[in-house]
Amino acid sequence: MKFFIADAFTKEVFGGNPAGVVILGEGNDFPDDETMRKTAAELRYSETAFIKFLSEADADGAYDAFNVRYFTPAAEVDLCGHATIASFSCLREAGLVKPGTTVLNKTLAGDLNIIVGEDSIMMDMAAPEYLGTIDDETTLRELYEVLGIKYEDNIPVLEEQCLANGGDGSGLKPEIISTGLPDIMLPAASREELNKMAPDFPALTELTRRLNVVSVHAFTLDGGRHRRGSASGGSDDVTAYCRDFAPLYDIDEEAATGTANGSLTYYLQRNEIVPSKTECLFVQGEAMGRPSEIRSAADGPAIKVGGTAAILVEGEISL
């Protein structure tokens, strides 16, 4: 079996979010679940993808349909954005998919189209779902404080910012959104608040278990380009700066998360921060010293997420 380590959402190695990628031989089925989980734990990356061929090769040895399964060191997850970008970048490098084509990725989150570019990969997200708003003060206080910041320094400030931008003063509230995995979209009032987050990970583990979510995806619009209706602010190309915490799945913090940023795109649409047809750029991983750039493209409810990847290791693995 071919084996790769690739850094997703970056053009350079040692940036972005690393993932393991295992490409099964033609005609081979997946190893048993525990073997795949142990392999992910041995590699110690947040996710390792296992790729099975679903179609026959064309005359050039390329395929157009795959089944990809994703394992953290703790468990299987339905979908992983950065491991998908890494996987199809590695398949392209190995000559198993062709640039300029669209191929099928069959996942536990559904059948998703993957657009293979010359130097980037864009992936369909599962249909976005709004799963609820966290708006009771007790849970809001708990959520912000378990992240190591204060409710008072964020929610009231966000309400003031909303009023200043012509809103009704209700501000942004954390919402649970899924584009394959349910995550909490948690707004921070400033980059300073985002950067000083220092979660109590055991408490955050229990809170995310109780709320039935994979991660807390914290973000701020401070310093970025964003829109409410036709008004725009900021001068650079960044839509939002992000951090993502998923200790329930043995991932204290991730440098880049495709599915969560797909959900963030939908959240920003729902709250009229960006239009329904838009392109976004999210910066993540700065707090980890692994800066990442995640791009999304939305056309109404249809959302794609993608970026580049840099391959660090290629070899053979025995399972």
Side-chain angles (χ1 to χ4, degrees):
M1 304 177 191
K2 286 187 176 293
F3 166 68
F4 296 83
I5 297 170
D7 295 330
F9 298 116
T10 180
K11 293 181 179 179
E12 299 179 357
V13 294
F14 308 122
N17 199 357
V21 176
V22 178
I23 303 175
L24 308 178
E26 185 173 10
N28 288 350
D29 204 350
F30 294 107
D32 65 81
D33 290 8
E34 185 63 6
T35 295
M36 290 190 283
R37 187 200 65 77
K38 286 182 175 178
T39 300
E42 186 79 7
L43 294 174
R44 296 179 175 85
Y45 296 113
S46 57
E47 276 91 4
T48 294
F50 295 82
I51 305 173
K52 175 183 174 180
F53 299 110
L54 292 182
S55 63
E56 294 184 357
D58 65 14
D60 297 320
Y63 299 79
D64 61 12
F66 304 86
N67 183 188
V68 182
R69 294 177 65 185
Y70 307 88
F71 283 79
T72 76
E76 184 173 13
V77 293
D78 289 355
L79 182 65
C80 174
H82 84 271
T84 301
I85 302 305
S87 293
F88 285 87
S89 296
C90 293
L91 287 166
R92 183 185 58 207
E93 178 69 18
L96 298 172
V97 294
K98 295 177 183 176
T101 62
T102 298
V103 300
L104 174 68
N105 180 20
K106 190 177 186 66
T107 76
L108 292 177
D111 292 352
L112 306 175
N113 288 324
I114 307 295
I115 301 169
V116 182
E118 291 288 345
D119 59 2
S120 67
I121 303 292
M122 293 294 289
M123 59 178 288
D124 278 346
M125 293 286 97
E129 294 181 84
Y130 163 74
L131 301 174
T133 299
I134 299 172
D135 54 9
D136 68 281
E137 187 172 327
T138 299
T139 305
L140 282 172
R141 286 184 177 276
E142 180 183 11
L143 184 54
Y144 280 90
E145 288 170 10
V146 82
L147 292 172
I149 59 176
K150 295 180 179 179
Y151 165 92
E152 291 84 356
D153 294 335
N154 287 273
I155 291 296
V157 175
L158 289 163
E159 290 172 350
E160 291 174 5
Q161 291 172 355
C162 179
L163 276 171
N165 284 319
D168 61 8
S170 60
L172 296 176
K173 294 290 196 305
E175 294 179 0
I176 301 174
I177 303 289
S178 174
T179 53
L181 300 173
D183 298 301
I184 296 173
M185 303 294 109
L186 183 132
S190 66
R191 291 185 74 181
E192 180 183 5
E193 288 296 304
L194 184 73
N195 291 336
K196 72 181 184 183
M197 288 180 179
D200 177 341
F201 287 113
L204 183 57
T205 298
E206 292 310 309
L207 182 58
T208 51
R209 178 181 287 115
R210 192 176 85 221
L211 296 175
N212 196 29
V213 298
V214 171
S215 78
V216 174
H217 193 65
F219 72 93
T220 182
L221 301 173
D222 179 32
R225 167 195 55 79
H226 55 277
R227 298 181 59 180
R228 179 177 289 279
S230 61
S232 62
S235 58
D236 59 20
D237 290 331
V238 178
T239 306
Y241 295 85
C242 309
R243 297 179 69 181
D244 191 272
F245 308 102
L248 181 61
Y249 287 84
D250 287 355
I251 307 165
D252 285 349
E253 183 168 1
E254 279 207 290
T257 44
T259 51
N261 282 300
S263 293
L264 179 54
T265 303
Y266 183 65
Y267 173 97
L268 296 176
Q269 288 178 320
R270 270 183 45 82
N271 288 281
E272 299 181 345
I273 302 300
V274 300
S276 61
K277 187 171 185 177
T278 189
E279 294 183 359
C280 297
L281 172 61
F282 303 112
V283 172
Q284 190 178 326
E286 291 180 314
M288 304 172 66
R290 299 189 69 99
S292 308
E293 292 188 353
I294 303 99
R295 296 188 178 274
S296 70
D299 188 354
I303 296 172
K304 293 180 172 61
V305 168
T308 57
I311 296 173
L312 175 65
V313 172
E314 178 181 354
E316 298 289 329
I317 188 168
S318 300
L319 290 179

